[in-house]
Amino acid sequence: MVWDGEEVEAREGQTVAGVLMGLGVRSWRTTRGTGRPRGLFCGIGACFDCLVKVNGVPDVRACQRFVADGDDIRPQSGAELPS
């Protein structure tokens, strides 16, 4: 998978959050209002702290998304809520 422009190793069955935590990345999103860093909080998909962009699609919960070959995963600023 690619994380923020860099190729990184991931194993089959790992979540995006698991890969990022293994790399030592603790924050991969910022809040809309204040720009505060966010990363893994609940780890079960109940909150929205771990949002990332996967292959150009925003608002993907990193704790629930399993990595796949060719994934391009990017940090996210805020949440891209539907209008």
Side-chain angles (χ1 to χ4, degrees):
M1 79 174 227
V2 173
W3 164 245
D4 201 17
E6 284 190 46
E7 186 78 29
V8 297
E9 187 175 329
R11 295 182 182 158
E12 184 178 342
Q14 282 186 295
T15 62
V16 172
V19 173
L20 295 178
M21 296 293 285
L23 293 171
V25 179
R26 301 292 182 245
S27 172
W28 48 82
R29 179 179 84 85
T30 57
T31 58
R32 284 184 292 166
T34 60
R36 291 185 175 167
R38 293 290 186 260
L40 190 63
F41 180 69
C42 75
I44 60 171
C47 76
F48 294 88
D49 275 358
C50 68
L51 299 178
V52 291
K53 285 186 180 185
V54 178
N55 303 322
V57 178
D59 299 332
V60 176
R61 290 183 182 124
C63 69
Q64 293 187 322
R65 173 63 157 71
F66 292 103
V67 295
D69 285 341
D71 274 347
D72 180 14
I73 301 169
R74 306 275 174 169
Q76 184 167 316
S77 178
E80 296 186 22
L81 305 171
S83 52

Coordinates of all heavy atoms in Angstrom, one line a residue:
M1 N 0.8 -1.2 0.0 CA 0.0 0.0 0.0 C 0.9 1.2 0.0 O 2.1 1.2 0.3 CB -1.0 0.0 1.2 CG -0.4 0.4 2.5 SD -1.6 0.5 3.8 CE -1.2 2.1 4.5
V2 N 0.3 2.3 -0.4 CA 1.0 3.6 -0.3 C 0.4 4.5 0.7 O -0.8 4.6 0.8 CB 0.9 4.3 -1.7 CG1 1.5 5.7 -1.6 CG2 1.5 3.5 -2.8
W3 N 1.2 5.0 1.6 CA 0.7 5.9 2.7 C 1.3 7.3 2.4 O 2.5 7.4 2.5 CB 1.1 5.4 4.1 CG 1.0 6.4 5.1 CD1 2.0 7.0 5.9 CD2 -0.2 7.1 5.5 NE1 1.5 8.0 6.7 CE2 0.2 8.1 6.5 CE3 -1.5 7.0 5.2 CZ2 -0.8 8.9 7.1 CZ3 -2.5 7.9 5.8 CH2 -2.1 8.8 6.7
D4 N 0.5 8.2 2.2 CA 0.9 9.6 2.0 C 2.0 9.7 1.0 O 3.0 10.5 1.2 CB 1.2 10.2 3.3 CG 1.1 11.8 3.3 OD1 0.5 12.3 2.3 OD2 1.6 12.4 4.2
G5 N 2.0 9.0 -0.1 CA 3.0 9.1 -1.2 C 4.1 8.1 -1.0 O 5.0 8.1 -1.9
E6 N 4.2 7.4 0.1 CA 5.4 6.4 0.3 C 4.9 5.0 0.3 O 3.9 4.7 1.0 CB 6.1 6.7 1.6 CG 7.0 7.9 1.6 CD 7.8 8.0 2.8 OE1 8.4 6.9 3.2 OE2 7.9 9.1 3.4
E7 N 5.5 4.1 -0.4 CA 5.2 2.7 -0.4 C 5.6 2.1 1.0 O 6.7 2.3 1.5 CB 6.0 2.0 -1.5 CG 5.7 0.5 -1.6 CD 4.4 0.3 -2.4 OE1 4.1 1.1 -3.3 OE2 3.7 -0.7 -2.2
V8 N 4.6 1.4 1.6 CA 4.9 0.8 2.9 C 4.4 -0.7 2.8 O 3.5 -1.0 2.0 CB 4.2 1.5 4.1 CG1 4.7 2.9 4.2 CG2 2.7 1.5 3.9
E9 N 5.0 -1.5 3.7 CA 4.6 -2.9 3.7 C 3.4 -3.1 4.6 O 3.3 -2.6 5.7 CB 5.8 -3.7 4.2 CG 5.6 -5.2 4.1 CD 6.8 -6.0 4.5 OE1 7.9 -5.5 4.4 OE2 6.6 -7.1 5.1
A10 N 2.5 -3.9 4.1 CA 1.3 -4.3 4.8 C 1.0 -5.8 4.6 O 1.3 -6.3 3.5 CB 0.1 -3.5 4.4
R11 N 0.5 -6.4 5.6 CA 0.2 -7.8 5.5 C -1.3 -8.0 5.2 O -2.1 -7.2 5.7 CB 0.6 -8.6 6.7 CG 2.1 -8.6 7.0 CD 2.4 -9.4 8.2 NE 3.8 -9.3 8.4 CZ 4.4 -9.5 9.6 NH1 3.6 -9.8 10.6 NH2 5.7 -9.5 9.7
E12 N -1.6 -9.1 4.5 CA -3.0 -9.4 4.3 C -3.7 -9.6 5.6 O -3.2 -10.2 6.5 CB -3.1 -10.7 3.5 CG -4.5 -11.1 3.1 CD -4.6 -12.3 2.2 OE1 -3.6 -12.7 1.7 OE2 -5.7 -12.9 2.2
G13 N -4.9 -9.0 5.7 CA -5.7 -9.1 6.9 C -5.5 -7.9 7.9 O -6.2 -7.8 8.9
Q14 N -4.5 -7.1 7.6 CA -4.3 -5.9 8.5 C -5.3 -4.8 8.1 O -5.6 -4.6 6.9 CB -2.9 -5.3 8.3 CG -1.9 -6.1 9.0 CD -0.5 -5.4 9.0 OE1 0.0 -5.3 7.9 NE2 0.0 -4.9 10.1
T15 N -5.7 -4.0 9.1 CA -6.5 -2.8 8.8 C -5.6 -1.7 8.5 O -4.4 -1.8 8.8 CB -7.4 -2.4 10.0 OG1 -6.6 -2.1 11.1 CG2 -8.4 -3.5 10.3
V16 N -6.1 -0.7 7.9 CA -5.3 0.5 7.6 C -4.8 1.1 8.9 O -3.6 1.4 9.1 CB -6.1 1.6 6.9 CG1 -5.3 2.9 6.8 CG2 -6.5 1.1 5.5
A17 N -5.6 1.1 9.9 CA -5.2 1.6 11.3 C -4.1 0.8 11.8 O -3.1 1.3 12.4 CB -6.3 1.7 12.2
G18 N -4.2 -0.5 11.7 CA -3.1 -1.4 12.2 C -1.8 -1.2 11.5 O -0.7 -1.2 12.2
V19 N -1.8 -1.0 10.2 CA -0.6 -0.7 9.5 C 0.0 0.6 9.9 O 1.2 0.7 10.2 CB -0.8 -0.7 7.9 CG1 0.4 -0.2 7.2 CG2 -1.3 -2.0 7.4
L20 N -0.8 1.7 10.0 CA -0.3 3.0 10.4 C 0.2 2.9 11.9 O 1.3 3.5 12.1 CB -1.4 4.0 10.3 CG -1.9 4.3 8.9 CD1 -3.0 5.3 8.9 CD2 -0.7 4.7 8.0
M21 N -0.5 2.3 12.8 CA 0.0 2.2 14.1 C 1.4 1.4 14.2 O 2.3 1.8 14.9 CB -1.0 1.5 15.0 CG -2.3 2.2 15.2 SD -2.1 3.8 16.1 CE -2.0 3.2 17.7
G22 N 1.5 0.4 13.3 CA 2.8 -0.4 13.3 C 3.9 0.5 12.7 O 5.1 0.2 13.1
L23 N 3.6 1.5 11.9 CA 4.6 2.4 11.4 C 4.9 3.5 12.4 O 5.8 4.3 12.1 CB 4.1 3.0 10.1 CG 3.9 2.1 8.9 CD1 3.2 2.8 7.7 CD2 5.3 1.6 8.4
G24 N 4.2 3.6 13.5 CA 4.4 4.6 14.5 C 3.6 5.9 14.2 O 3.8 6.9 14.8
V25 N 2.7 5.8 13.2 CA 1.9 7.0 12.9 C 0.7 7.0 13.9 O -0.1 6.0 13.9 CB 1.3 6.9 11.4 CG1 0.5 8.1 11.1 CG2 2.5 6.8 10.4
R26 N 0.6 8.0 14.6 CA -0.5 8.1 15.6 C -1.6 9.1 15.2 O -2.7 9.1 15.8 CB 0.1 8.6 17.0 CG 1.2 7.7 17.5 CD 0.6 6.3 17.9 NE 1.6 5.4 18.5 CZ 1.9 4.3 17.9 NH1 1.4 3.9 16.8 NH2 2.8 3.5 18.5
S27 N -1.4 9.9 14.2 CA -2.4 10.8 13.8 C -2.4 10.9 12.3 O -1.4 11.0 11.7 CB -2.1 12.2 14.4 OG -3.0 13.2 13.8
W28 N -3.6 10.8 11.7 CA -3.8 10.8 10.3 C -5.0 11.6 9.8 O -5.3 11.6 8.6 CB -3.8 9.4 9.7 CG -4.7 8.5 10.3 CD1 -6.1 8.4 10.1 CD2 -4.4 7.5 11.3 NE1 -6.6 7.4 10.9 CE2 -5.6 6.8 11.6 CE3 -3.2 7.1 11.9 CZ2 -5.6 5.8 12.5 CZ3 -3.3 6.1 12.8 CH2 -4.4 5.4 13.1
R29 N -5.6 12.3 10.7 CA -6.7 13.2 10.4 C -6.6 14.4 11.3 O -6.1 14.3 12.4 CB -8.0 12.5 10.6 CG -9.2 13.4 10.2 CD -10.5 12.7 10.4 NE -11.0 12.7 11.8 CZ -11.8 13.6 12.3 NH1 -12.0 14.7 11.7 NH2 -12.2 13.5 13.6
T30 N -7.2 15.6 10.8 CA -7.3 16.7 11.7 C -8.8 17.1 11.8 O -9.6 16.8 10.8 CB -6.5 17.9 11.2 OG1 -6.9 18.2 9.8 CG2 -5.0 17.7 11.2
T31 N -9.2 17.7 12.9 CA -10.6 18.2 13.0 C -10.9 19.3 12.1 O -10.0 20.1 11.8 CB -10.9 18.5 14.5 OG1 -10.0 19.6 14.9 CG2 -10.7 17.3 15.4
R32 N -12.1 19.5 11.8 CA -12.5 20.6 10.9 C -12.4 21.9 11.5 O -11.8 22.8 10.9 CB -14.0 20.4 10.5 CG -14.3 19.3 9.5 CD -15.7 19.3 9.1 NE -16.5 18.8 10.2 CZ -17.8 18.9 10.3 NH1 -18.5 19.5 9.3 NH2 -18.4 18.5 11.3
G33 N -12.8 22.1 12.7 CA -12.8 23.4 13.3 C -11.5 23.9 13.7 O -11.1 25.1 13.5
T34 N -10.7 23.1 14.5 CA -9.5 23.6 15.1 C -8.2 22.9 14.5 O -7.1 23.3 14.9 CB -9.6 23.3 16.6 OG1 -9.7 21.9 16.8 CG2 -10.7 24.0 17.3
G35 N -8.4 22.0 13.7 CA -7.2 21.3 13.1 C -6.4 20.4 14.0 O -5.2 20.2 13.8
R36 N -7.1 20.0 15.1 CA -6.4 19.1 16.1 C -6.2 17.7 15.5 O -7.0 17.2 14.7 CB -7.3 19.0 17.3 CG -7.3 20.3 18.1 CD -8.0 20.1 19.4 NE -7.9 21.3 20.2 CZ -8.7 21.5 21.2 NH1 -9.6 20.7 21.6 NH2 -8.5 22.7 21.9
P37 N -5.1 17.1 15.8 CA -4.8 15.8 15.3 C -5.7 14.7 15.8 O -6.0 14.7 17.0 CB -3.3 15.6 15.7 CG -3.1 16.4 16.9 CD -4.0 17.6 16.7
R38 N -6.0 13.7 15.0 CA -6.8 12.6 15.4 C -6.2 11.3 14.7 O -5.6 11.4 13.7 CB -8.3 12.7 14.9 CG -9.0 13.8 15.6 CD -9.2 13.5 17.1 NE -10.1 14.4 17.7 CZ -9.6 15.4 18.5 NH1 -8.3 15.5 18.7 NH2 -10.4 16.2 19.2
G39 N -6.4 10.2 15.4 CA -6.0 8.9 14.8 C -7.0 7.9 15.4 O -8.2 8.1 15.4
L40 N -6.4 6.8 15.8 CA -7.3 5.7 16.4 C -7.8 6.0 17.7 O -7.0 6.5 18.6 CB -6.4 4.4 16.4 CG -7.2 3.1 16.7 CD1 -8.2 2.8 15.6 CD2 -6.2 2.0 16.9
F41 N -9.1 5.9 18.0 CA -9.7 6.2 19.3 C -10.4 5.0 19.8 O -9.9 4.3 20.7 CB -10.6 7.4 19.2 CG -11.3 7.8 20.5 CD1 -10.5 8.3 21.5 CD2 -12.6 7.6 20.7 CE1 -11.1 8.6 22.8 CE2 -13.2 7.9 21.9 CZ -12.4 8.4 22.9
C42 N -11.5 4.6 19.2 CA -12.3 3.5 19.7 C -11.8 2.2 19.1 O -11.9 1.1 19.7 CB -13.8 3.7 19.4 SG -14.3 3.5 17.7
G43 N -11.4 2.2 17.8 CA -10.9 1.0 17.2 C -11.9 0.0 16.7 O -11.6 -1.1 16.2
I44 N -13.2 0.4 16.8 CA -14.3 -0.6 16.4 C -15.3 0.1 15.5 O -16.4 -0.5 15.2 CB -15.0 -1.1 17.6 CG1 -15.7 0.0 18.5 CG2 -14.1 -2.0 18.5 CD1 -16.6 -0.5 19.6
G45 N -15.0 1.3 15.0 CA -15.9 1.9 14.0 C -17.1 2.7 14.6 O -18.0 3.1 13.8
A46 N -17.1 2.9 15.9 CA -18.2 3.6 16.5 C -18.0 5.2 16.4 O -18.9 5.9 16.4 CB -18.3 3.2 17.9
C47 N -16.7 5.6 16.4 CA -16.4 7.0 16.3 C -15.9 7.3 14.9 O -15.9 6.5 14.0 CB -15.4 7.4 17.3 SG -13.7 6.9 16.9
F48 N -15.5 8.6 14.7 CA -15.1 9.0 13.3 C -13.7 9.6 13.4 O -13.3 10.4 12.6 CB -16.0 10.0 12.7 CG -17.4 9.4 12.4 CD1 -18.4 9.3 13.4 CD2 -17.6 8.8 11.2 CE1 -19.6 8.7 13.1 CE2 -18.8 8.2 10.9 CZ -19.8 8.2 11.9
D49 N -12.9 9.3 14.4 CA -11.6 9.9 14.6 C -10.5 9.4 13.6 O -9.6 10.1 13.3 CB -11.0 9.7 16.0 CG -11.5 10.8 17.0 OD1 -12.3 11.7 16.5 OD2 -11.2 10.7 18.2
C50 N -10.7 8.2 13.1 CA -9.7 7.6 12.3 C -9.9 7.7 10.7 O -9.4 6.9 10.0 CB -9.5 6.1 12.6 SG -10.9 5.1 12.2
L51 N -10.6 8.7 10.3 CA -10.9 8.8 8.9 C -9.7 9.1 8.0 O -8.8 9.8 8.4 CB -11.9 10.0 8.7 CG -13.3 9.8 9.3 CD1 -14.1 11.1 9.1 CD2 -14.0 8.6 8.9
V52 N -9.7 8.4 6.9 CA -8.6 8.6 5.9 C -9.2 8.6 4.5 O -10.4 8.3 4.3 CB -7.5 7.5 5.9 CG1 -6.7 7.5 7.2 CG2 -8.2 6.1 5.8
K53 N -8.5 9.0 3.5 CA -8.9 8.9 2.1 C -8.2 7.6 1.5 O -7.0 7.4 1.7 CB -8.4 10.1 1.3 CG -9.2 11.3 1.5 CD -8.8 12.4 0.5 CE -9.6 13.7 0.8 NZ -9.3 14.7 -0.2
V54 N -9.0 6.8 0.9 CA -8.5 5.5 0.3 C -8.9 5.6 -1.1 O -10.1 5.6 -1.5 CB -9.2 4.3 1.0 CG1 -8.6 3.0 0.3 CG2 -8.8 4.2 2.5
N55 N -7.8 5.6 -2.0 CA -8.0 5.6 -3.4 C -8.9 6.8 -3.8 O -9.8 6.6 -4.7 CB -8.6 4.3 -3.9 CG -7.7 3.1 -3.6 OD1 -6.4 3.2 -3.6 ND2 -8.2 2.0 -3.2
G56 N -8.8 7.9 -3.2 CA -9.5 9.1 -3.5 C -10.9 9.2 -2.8 O -11.5 10.2 -3.0
V57 N -11.3 8.2 -2.1 CA -12.6 8.2 -1.4 C -12.4 8.7 0.0 O -11.7 8.0 0.8 CB -13.2 6.8 -1.5 CG1 -14.6 6.8 -0.7 CG2 -13.4 6.3 -2.9
P58 N -13.0 9.8 0.4 CA -12.8 10.3 1.7 C -13.7 9.6 2.8 O -14.6 8.8 2.4 CB -13.3 11.8 1.6 CG -14.3 11.7 0.5 CD -13.9 10.7 -0.4
D59 N -13.4 9.9 4.0 CA -14.3 9.5 5.2 C -14.3 7.9 5.3 O -15.3 7.4 5.7 CB -15.7 10.0 5.0 CG -15.8 11.5 5.1 OD1 -14.9 12.1 5.7 OD2 -16.7 12.1 4.5
V60 N -13.2 7.3 5.1 CA -13.1 5.8 5.3 C -12.5 5.6 6.7 O -11.5 6.2 7.0 CB -12.2 5.2 4.2 CG1 -12.0 3.7 4.5 CG2 -12.7 5.4 2.8
R61 N -13.2 4.8 7.5 CA -12.7 4.5 8.8 C -11.5 3.5 8.7 O -11.7 2.4 8.3 CB -13.8 3.9 9.6 CG -14.9 4.9 10.0 CD -15.9 4.2 10.9 NE -17.0 5.1 11.2 CZ -18.3 4.8 10.9 NH1 -18.6 3.7 10.3 NH2 -19.2 5.7 11.2
A62 N -10.4 4.0 9.1 CA -9.1 3.2 9.0 C -9.2 2.0 9.9 O -8.5 1.0 9.6 CB -7.9 4.1 9.4
C63 N -9.9 2.0 10.9 CA -10.0 0.8 11.8 C -10.8 -0.3 11.2 O -10.7 -1.5 11.7 CB -10.6 1.2 13.2 SG -12.3 1.7 13.2
Q64 N -11.6 0.0 10.2 CA -12.5 -1.1 9.6 C -12.1 -1.5 8.2 O -12.5 -2.5 7.7 CB -13.9 -0.6 9.6 CG -14.5 -0.4 10.9 CD -16.0 -0.1 10.9 OE1 -16.5 0.6 10.0 NE2 -16.8 -0.7 11.7
R65 N -11.2 -0.7 7.6 CA -10.8 -1.0 6.2 C -9.6 -1.8 6.2 O -8.5 -1.5 6.7 CB -10.6 0.4 5.5 CG -10.0 0.3 4.1 CD -11.0 -0.4 3.1 NE -10.8 -0.1 1.8 CZ -9.7 -0.5 1.0 NH1 -8.8 -1.2 1.5 NH2 -9.7 -0.1 -0.2
F66 N -9.7 -3.0 5.6 CA -8.6 -3.9 5.4 C -7.8 -3.4 4.2 O -8.4 -2.9 3.2 CB -9.0 -5.3 5.1 CG -9.6 -6.0 6.3 CD1 -11.0 -6.1 6.4 CD2 -8.8 -6.4 7.4 CE1 -11.6 -6.7 7.5 CE2 -9.4 -7.0 8.5 CZ -10.8 -7.1 8.6
V67 N -6.5 -3.5 4.3 CA -5.6 -3.0 3.2 C -5.7 -4.0 2.0 O -6.0 -5.2 2.2 CB -4.1 -2.8 3.6 CG1 -4.0 -1.7 4.6 CG2 -3.5 -4.1 4.1
A68 N -5.5 -3.4 0.8 CA -5.5 -4.2 -0.4 C -4.3 -3.8 -1.3 O -3.9 -2.6 -1.2 CB -6.8 -4.1 -1.2
D69 N -3.8 -4.7 -2.1 CA -2.8 -4.3 -3.0 C -3.1 -3.1 -3.8 O -4.3 -3.0 -4.3 CB -2.4 -5.5 -4.0 CG -1.7 -6.6 -3.3 OD1 -1.1 -6.4 -2.2 OD2 -1.7 -7.7 -3.8
G70 N -2.2 -2.2 -3.9 CA -2.4 -1.0 -4.7 C -3.2 0.1 -4.1 O -3.4 1.2 -4.7
D71 N -3.6 0.0 -2.8 CA -4.3 1.0 -2.1 C -3.4 2.3 -2.0 O -2.2 2.2 -1.7 CB -4.7 0.6 -0.7 CG -6.0 -0.1 -0.6 OD1 -6.7 -0.1 -1.6 OD2 -6.3 -0.7 0.4
D72 N -4.0 3.4 -2.3 CA -3.4 4.7 -2.1 C -4.1 5.4 -0.9 O -5.3 5.8 -1.1 CB -3.4 5.6 -3.3 CG -2.8 6.9 -3.2 OD1 -2.0 7.1 -2.2 OD2 -3.0 7.8 -4.1
I73 N -3.5 5.5 0.2 CA -4.1 6.0 1.4 C -3.5 7.3 1.8 O -2.2 7.4 1.9 CB -4.1 4.9 2.6 CG1 -4.7 3.7 2.1 CG2 -4.7 5.4 3.8 CD1 -4.6 2.4 2.9
R74 N -4.3 8.3 2.1 CA -3.8 9.6 2.4 C -4.5 10.1 3.7 O -5.6 9.8 4.0 CB -4.2 10.6 1.3 CG -3.8 10.2 -0.1 CD -2.4 10.6 -0.4 NE -1.9 10.1 -1.7 CZ -0.8 10.5 -2.2 NH1 -0.1 11.4 -1.6 NH2 -0.4 10.0 -3.3
P75 N -3.8 11.0 4.4 CA -4.4 11.6 5.6 C -5.5 12.5 5.1 O -5.6 12.9 4.0 CB -3.2 12.4 6.2 CG -2.1 12.5 5.2 CD -2.4 11.4 4.2
Q76 N -6.4 12.8 6.1 CA -7.6 13.6 5.7 C -7.7 14.8 6.7 O -7.4 14.7 7.9 CB -8.8 12.8 5.9 CG -10.1 13.5 5.5 CD -11.2 12.5 5.3 OE1 -11.1 11.5 4.7 NE2 -12.4 12.9 5.8
S77 N -8.1 16.0 6.1 CA -8.3 17.2 6.9 C -9.8 17.3 7.1 O -10.6 17.4 6.2 CB -7.8 18.4 6.1 OG -8.1 19.6 6.8
G78 N -10.2 17.2 8.4 CA -11.6 17.3 8.7 C -12.4 16.0 8.2 O -11.8 15.0 8.0
A79 N -13.7 16.2 8.0 CA -14.5 15.2 7.4 C -15.2 15.8 6.2 O -15.5 17.0 6.2 CB -15.6 14.7 8.4
E80 N -15.3 15.0 5.1 CA -16.0 15.5 3.9 C -17.4 15.0 3.9 O -17.7 14.1 3.2 CB -15.2 15.1 2.7 CG -13.8 15.7 2.7 CD -13.0 15.4 1.4 OE1 -13.7 15.1 0.4 OE2 -11.8 15.4 1.5
L81 N -18.2 15.7 4.6 CA -19.6 15.3 4.8 C -20.4 15.6 3.5 O -20.1 16.6 2.8 CB -20.3 16.0 6.0 CG -19.5 15.9 7.3 CD1 -20.1 16.8 8.3 CD2 -19.6 14.4 7.7
P82 N -21.4 14.8 3.2 CA -22.2 15.1 2.0 C -23.0 16.4 2.2 O -23.4 16.8 3.3 CB -23.2 13.9 2.0 CG -23.1 13.2 3.2 CD -21.8 13.6 3.9
S83 N -23.2 17.1 1.1 CA -23.9 18.3 1.1 C -25.4 18.2 0.9 O -25.9 17.2 0.5 CB -23.4 19.3 0.1 OG -23.3 18.7 -1.2

